[in-house]
Amino acid sequence: MKFPRACVRHGLAILGTMALIVCGAMNDARAATHDGTAHIDVSGRVFRLDAAKVTYAFGVNEKGQLQSIYWGSRLAPNDPLPTPVAPPGRDAIDGVVNVIPQEYTGWGEGLYYEPDLKVTFPDGNRDLVLHYVSNSVHDNVLSIVMKDIERAIVVTLQYEIDPGTGIVRRSAVVENQTATPVIVEQASAGTWILPRSHDYTLRYLAGRWAGENDIYERPVQPGKTVLESRRGSTGMQNEPWFAIRRNDANETHGQVWFGALAWSGSWQIAIEQDQAEQVRVTGGFNPFDFGYKLAPGASLQTPSFYAGLTSGGMGEASRLMHRLELTRILPQAPHPRARPVLYNSWEATGFDVNEAGQIALAERAASIGVERFVMDDGWFGARNNDKAGLGDWTVNPQKFPHGLKPLIDRVHALGMDFGIWVEPEMVNPDSDLYRAHPDWVLNMTGRPRTLGRNQMVLNLARPDVRAYVFHALDKLLSENQIAFIKWDYNRSWSEPGWPAVPPDQQKNVYVDFVRNVYGILEELRHKHPNVEIESCSSGGGRVDLGIMHLTDEVWPSDNTDAYDRLRIQDGFTQAHTPGVMMAWVTDSPSSMNGRSMSLEYRFLSAMQGSLGVGANLTKWTAQDMATAKRLIADYKAIRETVQHGDLYRLVSPDNGSEHSATESVSPDKAHAVLFAFLHSSTEGYPYPTVRLQGLDPDARYRLRVLQGTLAERTPTVASGAYWMNVGIDILMRGDFQGTAITFDRE
Ligand code: DGJ
């Protein structure tokens, strides 16, 4: 994946250096924070990328290694950059190579920190020392070619800087130009080198099913922290995202370096501080059980690794990531379509779907303003529970005797579009597909095939499996008027073998599987350009910049409890835009934990992301339906700001905080939306004054209360400065209360 092509305005030769000035596609409302252009400057043996508020520079040292020079706030164009000179080693025991801040290292010459690339040759040689060969700039991408000092292993590093955010994309292509196959045992996109310091705190996201995106912090100290997935997919135990802040940085202030990996298979990000206080962040394929056989002439492209920095604290770091996703990563970037309000049948019906029941739900959904009706699991094969049917993507004739057409026609007649659930990478042993092709699953010959949710993982790396899955989905989309698929993935890998290929090629499955998933998504999007796709994996198990490049939205968690969601969403938005963060209003008491909350509270929680409804609407009262209709109409009026605006996390719900608040501001600062929540009142304290952020201090904003009550003296019109400094007093008492207020520039 690369940034979409930017147009080259002109190239100039200046005193033997080459400077390319490229005009960015994202020269929009961010004008205040960047100049809308990216600069790549190749001066002798120093390479410099400038964009927005960032300068990134590295060069070739006297040994031929690629050495980091600077990654920080933007410098003046004519500022002198230090010549890269390898620092002297301090002692024999650590070897001089270990103190050089290299951009990309092969494992060789006594390297002890995390290498970027490790290769085994057929003769047993495992020493790899990469030195600079050449550079070029094409389509806004700086390519640096490196080669082993003796053998023809050639690595092309790619660098690209996003004009809007200053976020740099890195990836590497490893090419085997020798005459024999080699095994690549570790390959990263590259290593980010932070300014030398012992003043850092690492923030990362970790979780589990129904508890995704918990925020953790730990000091960066000598040693290594590894964030990873070994499970074949992105996973929810760690998110492929990191942030390293100065110890004094907080949500609103201070320096933060951050990044995210675009890969939906097993991945690793290693954050390491060596004895010389050098902090390195290396990310790419997970080296555990990795061994990619690279034939002569073949190449392996690593995932892309994106990273940026800011002086504006964690909040600004998140907003930069959000902007990158909206303008560069998502399939509809730079102008993703606002997410429609959807209804999903899962929590209402489970597997018990049929024509009449779905139509009854659709009619209720349409009456409250839902725009997309999605039928979840249970419509195909012999799928009455999770024990059977996966893999057989034909409509169940008992549940839908006339096919899907009557339901889809009714949904259309009600003014909604139609979406459907699939889980294409899986198969139940009790399915026609498995009975016909038991060899199509990941397995190791003679070993048990461990089940997860009664299912196995199809080996998508196999060309025949890839073809089957593509054909099944293509047929479904070609034969039915389907606008949306929810692409689910409900178990992690076990026995990741591929017996049909020679033993030394079997581990290629870690890469080829994911590439084929991406390939199917790409082909489907190409053939059915109007179909939108959601990435779901038992909740938020497959949320990463790789899958987000090919899907329009993601499902953050199976936990739809509106209070738990506040915390899950707080973690989610550290790394990802609320524009893709689906959030359903479900029934009370919550099926997750039995907690009861008002319908208004549940709506307000979900309205901070991309709103959906997942309740059993046939049981809602007339008053519930009226409340839902009102709040859905309100949501439609604010969704552009919520989904595509700038998010300010005013008060985090983390750590059991009694109150929390978020605010979204439209890019032109004309509109803002405030959501405030009270978990539980204690000792009669009033709700703390909420002070907004990100408004134009000189503009005047009119306030409108969508839900809740304000203190009597609250003005209805005041300046941005007033709302940001005096703030707003909200009257909230009791438990699980919510307030929503809009601010519109006059
Ligand atoms: C897991 C998903 O996260 C749920 O939303 C639902 O689609 C089920 N799978 C269906 O089996």
Side-chain angles (χ1 to χ4, degrees):
M1 185 203 311
K2 65 185 293 298
F3 291 141
R5 187 185 164 128
C7 64
V8 175
R9 198 186 292 156
H10 51 251
L12 352 151
I14 313 166
L15 296 174
T17 70
M18 186 189 60
L20 266 188
I21 301 172
V22 293
C23 63
M26 210 217 86
N27 193 2
D28 64 6
R30 308 270 76 72
T33 57
H34 70 85
D35 62 4
T37 61
H39 302 259
I40 300 176
D41 197 342
V42 184
S43 308
R45 304 193 109 195
V46 170
F47 311 99
R48 172 175 167 167
L49 294 88
D50 292 281
K53 295 178 175 177
V54 175
T55 294
Y56 187 96
F58 58 97
V60 185
N61 68 20
E62 73 283 9
K63 299 178 183 212
Q65 296 155 327
L66 213 56
Q67 184 173 323
S68 167
I69 295 177
Y70 177 80
W71 183 29
S73 296
R74 186 147 179 188
L75 304 176
N78 52 359
D79 276 341
L81 287 170
T83 309
V85 176
R90 291 198 313 181
D91 51 52
I93 200 96
D94 278 325
V96 67
V97 69
N98 294 288
V99 298
I100 302 168
Q102 292 192 64
E103 290 277 301
Y104 202 89
T105 47
W107 183 71
E109 64 177 330
L111 184 83
Y112 306 127
Y113 57 69
E114 195 73 26
D116 291 289
L117 186 63
K118 183 174 185 304
V119 170
T120 293
F121 295 87
D123 62 358
N125 174 58
R126 304 181 319 279
D127 187 65
L128 188 75
V129 178
L130 297 172
H131 280 185
Y132 171 80
V133 176
S134 64
N135 74 79
S136 59
V137 180
H138 295 294
D139 288 351
N140 205 20
V141 178
L142 168 63
S143 297
I144 305 286
V145 177
M146 303 182 80
K147 184 184 156 300
D148 177 60
I149 51 175
E150 186 236 345
R151 301 190 176 200
I153 295 296
V154 176
V155 181
T156 304
L157 307 182
Q158 298 175 332
Y159 292 83
E160 195 175 0
I161 190 162
D162 173 35
T165 59
I167 291 175
V168 175
R169 181 189 73 85
R170 295 186 58 182
S171 81
V173 181
V174 183
E175 197 180 343
N176 177 11
Q177 293 185 5
T178 73
T180 54
V182 300
I183 303 293
V184 177
E185 291 173 349
Q186 179 158 2
S188 88
T191 293
W192 307 99
I193 310 275
L194 271 70
R196 188 183 303 277
S197 172
H198 55 88
D199 176 35
Y200 290 130
T201 296
L202 168 68
R203 180 176 288 197
Y204 62 101
L205 299 169
R208 66 211 75 80
W209 178 78
E212 294 86 341
N213 304 314
D214 280 344
I215 300 170
Y216 291 90
E217 290 199 336
R218 60 173 70 165
V220 177
Q221 292 175 334
K224 180 159 54 179
T225 296
V226 173
L227 308 177
E228 65 169 353
S229 162
R230 297 182 175 196
R231 51 192 64 225
S233 62
T234 322
M236 51 184 74
Q237 285 63 31
N238 283 155
E239 294 293 317
W241 170 88
F242 74 93
I244 297 176
R245 61 173 178 82
R246 293 281 188 194
N247 288 335
D248 64 357
N250 57 24
E251 180 71 13
T252 52
H253 296 98
Q255 280 189 297
V256 183
W257 288 258
F258 57 90
L261 200 57
W263 187 242
S264 311
S266 292
W267 58 271
Q268 176 183 286
I269 297 176
I271 299 101
E272 189 171 11
Q273 180 177 357
D274 66 20
Q275 66 280 10
E277 293 183 337
Q278 186 68 69
V279 176
R280 299 177 171 80
V281 183
T282 306
F285 301 123
N286 193 321
F288 177 80
D289 197 38
F290 197 77
Y292 197 89
K293 182 178 178 185
L294 211 50
S299 59
L300 172 66
Q301 167 114 40
T302 73
S304 288
F305 197 3
Y306 296 80
L309 66 96
T310 177
S311 303
M314 287 303 312
E316 183 64 13
S318 299
R319 287 188 288 278
L320 289 167
M321 280 299 301
H322 300 173
R323 194 57 51 199
L324 181 86
E325 290 176 346
L326 291 169
T327 59
R328 297 288 178 177
I329 301 293
L330 290 169
Q332 297 183 25
H335 301 297
R337 182 177 161 238
R339 302 290 79 225
V341 177
L342 69 68
Y343 177 82
N344 179 290
S345 65
W346 175 244
E347 290 203 20
T349 58
F351 298 98
D352 190 15
V353 297
N354 57 52
E355 190 180 302
Q358 294 293 298
I359 286 178
L361 287 168
E363 285 169 349
R364 303 279 283 176
S367 75
I368 54 175
V370 165
E371 297 159 308
R372 169 170 290 168
F373 182 84
V374 183
M375 177 164 64
D376 209 280
D377 201 348
W379 59 268
F380 52 91
R383 187 74 167 167
N384 295 314
N385 50 47
D386 63 16
K387 291 191 175 62
L390 280 180
D392 300 338
W393 299 109
T394 47
V395 179
N396 180 304
Q398 280 80 46
K399 298 178 181 183
F400 296 92
H402 315 289
L404 296 177
K405 195 169 184 308
L407 170 61
I408 296 177
D409 285 351
R410 183 71 188 126
V411 165
H412 288 164
L414 289 164
M416 302 181 289
D417 67 28
F418 180 79
I420 199 161
W421 180 96
V422 290
E423 191 176 2
E425 295 142 283
M426 301 291 168
V427 64
N428 286 117
D430 185 2
S431 66
D432 293 343
L433 181 67
Y434 188 74
R435 282 183 281 274
H437 299 286
D439 52 332
W440 275 14
V441 297
L442 292 177
N443 74 95
M444 293 190 183
T445 307
R447 309 293 302 173
R449 300 177 177 194
T450 305
L451 296 181
R453 206 195 190 203
N454 302 303
Q455 63 199 52
M456 297 179 196
V457 184
L458 288 170
N459 183 355
L460 260 285
R462 289 176 59 124
D464 47 3
V465 176
R466 184 201 190 284
Y468 172 83
V469 168
F470 175 77
H471 178 71
L473 294 171
D474 180 38
K475 189 164 181 291
L476 181 67
L477 295 178
S478 302
E479 290 179 353
N480 300 284
Q481 279 191 280
I482 291 173
F484 171 83
I485 54 178
K486 173 176 171 179
W487 183 305
D488 207 345
Y489 180 95
N490 284 306
R491 64 156 293 182
S492 302
W493 291 12
S494 56
E495 301 95 24
W498 182 1
V501 297
D504 64 353
Q505 200 187 320
Q506 288 207 13
K507 290 180 181 174
N508 287 25
V509 72
Y510 283 106
V511 175
D512 294 356
F513 182 111
V514 181
R515 294 255 187 263
N516 279 347
V517 173
Y518 289 168
I520 292 171
L521 283 163
E522 258 166 40
E523 260 185 78
L524 285 176
R525 293 197 78 98
H526 183 72
K527 197 158 173 203
H528 305 277
N530 296 324
V531 173
E532 296 186 336
I533 303 172
E534 176 179 295
S535 172
C536 170
S537 173
S538 287
R542 189 150 63 183
V543 182
D544 63 81
L545 299 194
I547 206 77
M548 284 170 68
H549 191 51
L550 294 158
T551 55
D552 304 273
E553 60 189 48
V554 301
W555 180 232
S557 181
D558 276 357
N559 185 345
T560 59
D561 171 85
Y563 173 67
D564 283 355
R565 268 297 178 108
L566 296 184
R567 190 196 50 70
I568 292 170
Q569 292 173 177
D570 188 54
F572 182 97
T573 63
Q574 302 286 316
H576 304 298
T577 167
V580 300
M581 183 176 76
M582 297 309 297
W584 303 344
V585 175
T586 52
D587 283 318
S588 179
S590 162
S591 59
M592 182 56 56
N593 51 28
R595 181 161 32 219
S596 296
M597 282 160 293
S598 71
L599 188 57
E600 289 84 351
Y601 183 93
R602 284 176 273 147
F603 259 98
L604 265 46
S605 170
M607 284 163 71
Q608 293 170 102
S610 294
L611 179 66
V613 177
N616 189 348
L617 295 179
T618 60
K619 301 226 166 98
W620 278 17
T621 64
Q623 192 185 338
D624 291 340
M625 296 294 278
T627 301
K629 189 173 181 173
R630 170 175 68 81
L631 289 170
I632 287 173
D634 284 340
Y635 180 74
K636 288 176 182 170
I638 61 170
R639 73 173 147 198
E640 190 59 37
T641 302
V642 170
Q643 295 182 16
H644 301 154
D646 289 322
L647 176 71
Y648 293 84
R649 292 180 295 253
L650 302 182
V651 185
S652 167
D654 211 14
N655 294 325
S657 156
E658 289 187 348
H659 59 279
S660 66
T662 66
E663 177 199 356
S664 303
V665 182
S666 63
D668 62 1
K669 296 184 185 294
H671 308 284
V673 190
L674 170 70
F675 292 99
F677 300 91
L678 174 66
H679 175 201
S680 54
S681 306
T682 25
E683 299 178 353
Y685 283 116
Y687 195 82
T689 302
V690 179
R691 294 185 178 81
L692 274 66
Q693 296 176 24
L695 300 180
D696 175 355
D698 300 324
R700 297 191 68 73
Y701 293 89
R702 176 176 294 276
L703 156 161
R704 188 167 81 90
V705 179
L706 304 184
Q707 184 67 43
T709 312
L710 305 185
E712 255 178 43
R713 61 185 180 282
T714 311
T716 46
V717 180
S719 68
Y722 180 94
W723 299 123
M724 292 193 288
N725 294 298
V726 178
I728 186 160
D729 286 325
I730 299 171
L731 302 180
M732 274 200 281
R733 303 171 65 200
D735 298 341
F736 300 113
Q737 301 295 315
T739 297
I741 306 167
T742 58
F743 298 82
D744 296 302
R745 194 164 60 195
E746 293 229 297

